[in-house]
Amino acid sequence: MTGLASAATAEPHRTRDPLDDCVHCGFCLSGCPTYQAWGEEMDSPRGRIDLMRGLREGRVELGPVVLEHFDRCLGCMACLTTCPSGVRYDVLIERTRAELEARGVRRPGDRLHRALLFALFPHPARLRALVPLLWVWQKTGLDRLARRLGLLRLVPRRLAQLDALAPDVQLGAAFRRLPAATRPAGPPRLRVALVEGCVQRVFFSQVNAATLRVLAAEGCEVLVPRGQGCCGALSVHAGREEEARRFARALIERLEAARADVVVVNAAGCGSHLKELGRLLAGDPAFAGRAAALAAKVRDVSEVLSALPAAAPRHPLALRVAYQPACHLAHAQRLREGPVALLRAIPGLELFELSDGCCGSAGIYNLVEPEAAAEIGARKVDAVAPIHPDVVAAGNPGCLLQLRAEMGKRGLAVRVAHPVELIDASIRGEP
């Protein structure tokens, strides 16, 4: 277990406001996608921190323009990587968004749209109920007809974006259930509990299945606790803190019952959130200790596989693969080398590493800021196109949906996949 030491990032108690750690040096500007896109100081981490200070001190009045600058932040956490002062911008933006939501400053249409998203995406059962309708929409050609006739231009861009990002639905896959327990293929090395996720389990169930097979092949007993709900990542990143706490408490109880050595996550955004559960529930006497203990067990699947010397042989895959480092993997969790090394270990695979820049997904960002997301996503496709890859790999479902949609706009017929799917294909010897 030495290779799986705690990766939780909760800070010790402190009296200094992290807002005061920023010295305005400007190192964050080079990594911030929104500043790079528009060159606007208030759309940089430094500028947003200045707005936060202004709100705290009463120098800035909260209005639509100020709210827009906070909304346009992707929350990609590239600034965490570039900041020499260790400013916890992740803490600051989540805290600010929670304060803004509590003050109810949004326009009615914006509130309604966000309420619709959060009534759907954090609820796997509701997503599954939507699947048959989406399947009919796609398989009958109604989606293509609506686009050809320009009907989607008659609805708000935000609603049309739901169609643009929709994955190809497979009815059987969407309703597939993983076994509650899977024995390791060889001598047992680790007992792990797999977090199924929300969008992941419904629209990317093949990723969960591949994760289970790879972990079992590498000597892990894999448990999939029943009754899992949302982890709360989308909610906390959007300022819906109390909702996030409800989701987190329920999931903690499910995962605790598994009594696993490690809790495995294969969605970067969920993983970074779960590693911060101790901070989220620090003020809850009944759950503070439990949350911190569970957070200490959370690992991305790439961490687990990197810490366990490979036991299952890898077969060649003759593929050109462009790897997109998911922001909440590379920046929030600081996991860079592990996923790349795992892909490089696949014989015959030709790997191209894309830059750390965000693809524009960022939780619900591409659903509430579609124009900005498209502009940022287009820059990522500019980097992908010259490579002519067979597959673009990313460790987060939102990234896969965003990359697929943006490449589709360019007519690029490139498959998207989670890195664990490629490892699974190599272990199974499938092309």
Side-chain angles (χ1 to χ4, degrees):
M1 290 290 291
T2 56
L4 294 170
S6 173
T9 56
E11 293 182 314
H13 292 296
R14 53 181 287 172
T15 55
R16 178 183 171 90
D17 190 331
L19 192 59
D20 297 323
D21 292 339
C22 177
V23 297
H24 259 56
C25 66
F27 276 87
C28 58
L29 302 182
S30 63
C32 177
T34 53
Y35 180 80
Q36 292 300 311
W38 309 310
E40 168 61 54
E41 174 70 14
M42 293 300 108
D43 284 321
S44 73
R46 182 175 69 178
R48 293 183 181 109
I49 286 174
D50 195 48
L51 287 177
M52 294 174 196
R53 284 176 175 156
L55 289 170
R56 182 184 68 179
E57 297 165 5
R59 294 184 289 105
V60 173
E61 182 178 348
L62 181 60
V65 174
V66 172
L67 178 63
E68 182 180 36
H69 288 306
F70 290 125
D71 281 348
R72 287 168 70 170
C73 173
L74 289 143
C76 69
M77 303 310 154
C79 50
L80 297 185
T81 299
T82 58
C83 179
S85 302
V87 176
R88 287 298 304 268
Y89 181 81
D90 53 341
V91 175
L92 294 173
I93 191 64
E94 287 178 6
R95 184 179 74 182
T96 299
R97 284 175 168 167
E99 291 170 355
L100 296 178
E101 294 304 313
R103 290 169 68 172
V105 296
R106 297 195 177 279
R107 293 187 176 96
D110 192 15
R111 286 202 303 271
L112 179 62
H113 181 69
R114 289 168 181 265
L116 170 67
L117 296 179
F118 283 97
L120 180 62
F121 285 102
H123 302 279
R126 298 176 190 176
L127 287 174
R128 280 200 172 108
L130 181 67
V131 164
L133 297 175
L134 186 55
W135 183 85
V136 170
W137 172 252
Q138 293 177 346
K139 298 307 175 185
T140 60
L142 285 173
D143 58 340
R144 295 185 295 277
L145 178 63
R147 293 186 202 109
R148 191 162 58 246
L149 296 177
L151 298 181
L152 293 177
R153 290 197 293 269
L154 302 179
V155 301
R157 172 74 183 271
R158 285 174 161 188
L159 291 180
Q161 187 75 344
L162 290 169
D163 172 73
L165 292 169
D168 288 329
V169 172
Q170 304 295 327
L171 278 179
F175 290 90
R176 186 179 299 136
R177 306 279 181 172
L178 295 177
T182 301
R183 296 181 60 81
R189 305 164 81 185
L190 200 64
R191 179 183 172 96
V192 306
L194 177 62
V195 176
E196 292 188 275
C198 300
V199 171
Q200 191 84 298
R201 90 177 72 172
V202 177
F203 295 117
F204 292 96
S205 63
Q206 78 279 3
V207 175
N208 282 348
T211 302
L212 187 152
R213 287 192 296 266
V214 170
L215 290 170
E218 295 293 7
C220 298
E221 178 187 3
V222 185
L223 308 175
V224 184
R226 295 308 191 212
Q228 293 184 46
C230 180
C231 69
L234 288 178
S235 300
V236 78
H237 295 156
R240 302 166 69 95
E241 273 193 345
E242 191 48 50
E243 181 179 78
R245 292 189 184 100
R246 288 200 310 273
F247 285 138
R249 293 186 195 105
L251 186 61
I252 287 169
E253 292 184 332
R254 297 292 182 179
L255 294 174
E256 281 178 335
R259 300 185 182 277
D261 302 316
V262 169
V263 173
V264 177
V265 188
N266 55 21
C270 299
S272 67
H273 162 67
L274 288 171
K275 288 179 178 181
E276 292 282 344
L277 283 185
R279 178 167 60 85
L280 179 68
L281 294 172
D284 186 335
F287 275 86
R290 296 165 69 182
L294 185 78
K297 291 184 174 184
V298 174
R299 305 288 183 275
D300 183 75
V301 62
S302 66
E303 286 181 275
V304 177
L305 296 176
S306 296
L308 294 173
R314 269 57 168 172
H315 300 89
L317 289 181
L319 292 172
R320 291 171 63 87
V321 176
Y323 173 67
Q324 160 65 11
C327 294
H328 277 80
L329 206 59
H331 301 302
Q333 300 185 61
R334 307 295 175 93
L335 298 176
R336 298 171 177 275
E337 300 302 324
V340 172
L342 291 168
L343 290 174
R344 289 199 183 281
I346 298 175
L349 188 145
E350 190 177 4
L351 186 65
F352 301 84
E353 297 178 58
L354 301 175
S355 68
D356 285 354
C358 186
C359 68
S361 171
I364 64 165
Y365 188 87
N366 52 4
L367 295 172
V368 294
E369 300 286 341
E371 292 86 359
E375 183 177 344
I376 292 163
R379 293 206 303 269
K380 183 60 63 176
V381 178
D382 288 341
V384 171
I387 296 171
H388 302 291
D390 303 303
V391 177
V392 174
N396 195 63
C399 299
L400 297 179
L401 290 173
Q402 173 75 355
L403 289 166
R404 175 180 173 273
E406 292 302 323
M407 289 190 297
K409 293 177 183 177
R410 304 276 187 94
L412 299 178
V414 181
R415 181 184 172 185
V416 295
H418 192 289
V420 80
E421 293 183 86
L422 297 169
I423 298 169
D424 177 51
S426 178
I427 291 175
R428 299 169 75 189
E430 294 185 351

